[in-house]
Amino acid sequence: MNENNRQLIQYLIELRSRLLKCLFILFVIFAILVCFSNELYTFLALPLLKNLPEGRGLIATNIVSSFFVPFELAFVTAIFASIPFFLYHLWAFIAPALYQRERRLMQPLLFISTLLFYLGAAFAYFIIFPILFAFFAHAAPAGVMLSPDISQYLDFTLKLFLIFGTLFEVPVIICLLVWANIVSREKFIKIRPYAIVSAFVMGMLLAPPDVLSQTLFAIPLWLLFEIGIMLSGFLERKQKECHDSRGKRG
């Protein structure tokens, strides 16, 4: 067996070990959360339940939904809670193959991207959900009683969590584009007015049709764009310092 094959086998063994550790943590968290699956679903449904008429609630149109939907939520929440552990093992696996400057960039970006995703989900739950469900509850035609199915509600909220978690990754995406020299920071600064208009257009399309809701949606998107520009400036300075230090050594 030559040296390349031996190294490949070692990498595969390490990858298998890290995957097993990740799956074990996922299973442990899921085993804990499944004991509180009904409470988890009630917590998820609170923004809607608070806006339904007294005595009204969600319904289960499928006979097994009342069991499997909270079970599914517990599993998704376990994955959500395990993300930092997964990213740690991903980082530990790929870091030795990166250059030092790449490690200095990727390590904080992994942390920031994880934090921003959680912040996006929290923003959706605490800000967007109450506004959105209050609008839906009061927009129903006369004689129509709003009683969503628990499975449809879970699918809808998970999509919103994913959408807002992804939207909050804008600063990281900007930094990566600047770092890879795909788009310059100056270009992002030039398109700032278009980014602001786009944020308010998205607010107009996705938020309820009132100025307050649309503004609450648009302003965080605009601020995320500004944070991305600010972080990319710090990144450019670091890149320039590294380049200057190499030039002096040369």
Side-chain angles (χ1 to χ4, degrees), residues 21-87:
K21 289 177 182 178
C22 291
L23 291 175
F24 175 75
I25 290 296
L26 175 61
F27 175 78
V28 170
I29 296 176
F30 172 66
I32 296 171
L33 291 178
V34 78
C35 300
F36 306 96
S37 56
N38 288 337
E39 289 80 1
L40 273 176
Y41 194 92
T42 301
F43 179 75
L44 178 68
L46 276 178
L48 175 61
L49 294 175
K50 289 179 179 178
N51 289 287
L52 292 178
E54 188 175 352
R56 303 295 301 176
L58 284 82
I59 61 173
T61 57
N62 192 313
I63 194 170
V64 297
S65 293
S66 58
F67 172 76
F68 280 108
V69 172
F71 189 86
E72 179 185 351
L73 175 60
F75 183 71
V76 173
T77 307
I79 295 175
F80 191 73
S82 303
I83 288 176
F85 191 80
F86 293 161
L87 290 177

Side-chain angles (χ1 to χ4, degrees), residues 3 5 10 17 22 24 35 53 60 68 70-71 97 99 116 134 145 160 163 188 191 199 206 229 243 250:
E3 185 64 24
N5 289 338
Q10 289 176 348
S17 173
C22 291
F24 175 75
C35 300
F68 280 108
F71 189 86
Y99 293 109
L116 286 174
M145 293 184 296
L160 286 181
I163 289 171
F188 281 114
I191 66 172
L206 299 178
I229 292 177
H243 184 269

Side-chain angles (χ1 to χ4, degrees), residues 123 163-164 167-168 170-171 195-196 198-200 202-203 206 215-227:
F123 178 79
I163 289 171
F164 281 93
L167 284 174
F168 269 60
V170 166
I196 296 173
S198 299
F200 279 91
M202 290 183 67
L206 299 178
T215 303
L216 285 174
F217 185 98
I219 288 180
L221 295 182
W222 169 38
L223 292 178
L224 287 167
F225 183 82
E226 296 295 337
I227 291 172

Side-chain angles (χ1 to χ4, degrees), residues 9 25 31 56 60 63 70 76 89 93 107 113 181 218 240 248:
I9 291 175
I25 290 296
R56 303 295 301 176
I63 194 170
V76 173
H89 279 281
F93 181 72
Q107 192 170 14
S113 63
N181 293 320
K240 188 175 183 298
K248 291 177 182 178

